[in-house]
Amino acid sequence: NIDGLIILGFNQDKYNALKRILNKNMVLIDAYPLKNCDYNFVNVGIDDFSGGEQIGKHLIENGFSNALFLAETTVDSDYYRWLGFKKAMESKGDFCNKSRYIVIPSDEELRYKFYKQNLSLFLQAGALAFSSDITAIEAINYFQDNGISVPNQISVTGFDDCFYSSLLRPRLTTIHQDISEKARLSVEILIKMINNVPIEKLDNKNSVKLICRQSVKINKI
């Protein structure tokens, strides 16, 4: 007996299943359609592609043309952030191979083993662009616990600008997204749907911006 829902953490399959059971107005947050499918739901998200491109451009500008992109998945927001990063990496004519898109283990113990096994690769690349702040912060702590200087030996970036990114030392260079604006826009759109006001577009993306802090070594070229 509700007028509508705002839903986090759903994909298109879950949305379709719920829609069949509960024919109500719904706004999803940070959802993506299935591969080769169009949006059939209303989504409020962020411009992940632009965020990845801004990170990539910042690293390129400081000489890190071989930077690696470390993600948690190969789909949805991580994938679009990679595409933006890849575009920036290729802006000067070099090819950014998909081997530079690295998915890190979800298990904590396996992640630490992964960092240890790939440390020489990371040092050679000189810079790592993580798809989230949390994984970037964990990696920085691991590197520094093992005598690797950030950013002098490895530069690191995150994504989201979470609370901890400005408390970390060095403070984390990242992409800021306005969480409150996503919430406000979601409510605004849902109220329109409840009142039968036409929705201009299904996929609504808020802008993001680069926050430069101290986790990237500045080597202007």
Side-chain angles (χ1 to χ4, degrees), residues 88-107:
M89 287 288 123
E90 295 178 341
S91 62
K92 294 191 176 181
D94 295 328
F95 179 63
C96 183
N97 193 291
K98 200 166 183 178
S99 64
R100 290 165 64 180
Y101 184 179
I102 300 171
V103 178
I104 61 178
S106 58
D107 179 79

Side-chain angles (χ1 to χ4, degrees), residues 161-162 165-166 171-174 211-216 218:
D161 196 22
C162 75
S165 62
S166 61
R171 293 192 291 272
L172 183 65
T173 292
T174 185
I211 304 296
C212 295
R213 295 194 177 105
Q214 289 78 45
S215 64
V216 173
I218 304 302

Side-chain angles (χ1 to χ4, degrees), residues 118-136:
N118 289 279
L119 192 53
S120 60
L121 176 65
F122 298 157
L123 288 166
Q124 183 179 6
L128 307 176
F130 284 84
S131 65
S132 76
D133 287 346
I134 297 302
T135 49

Side-chain angles (χ1 to χ4, degrees), residues 195-209:
N195 292 317
N196 296 313
V197 176
I199 304 302
E200 295 179 2
K201 55 184 178 180
L202 296 179
D203 185 27
N204 302 270
K205 293 192 182 299
N206 291 332
S207 61
V208 296
K209 64 180 180 180

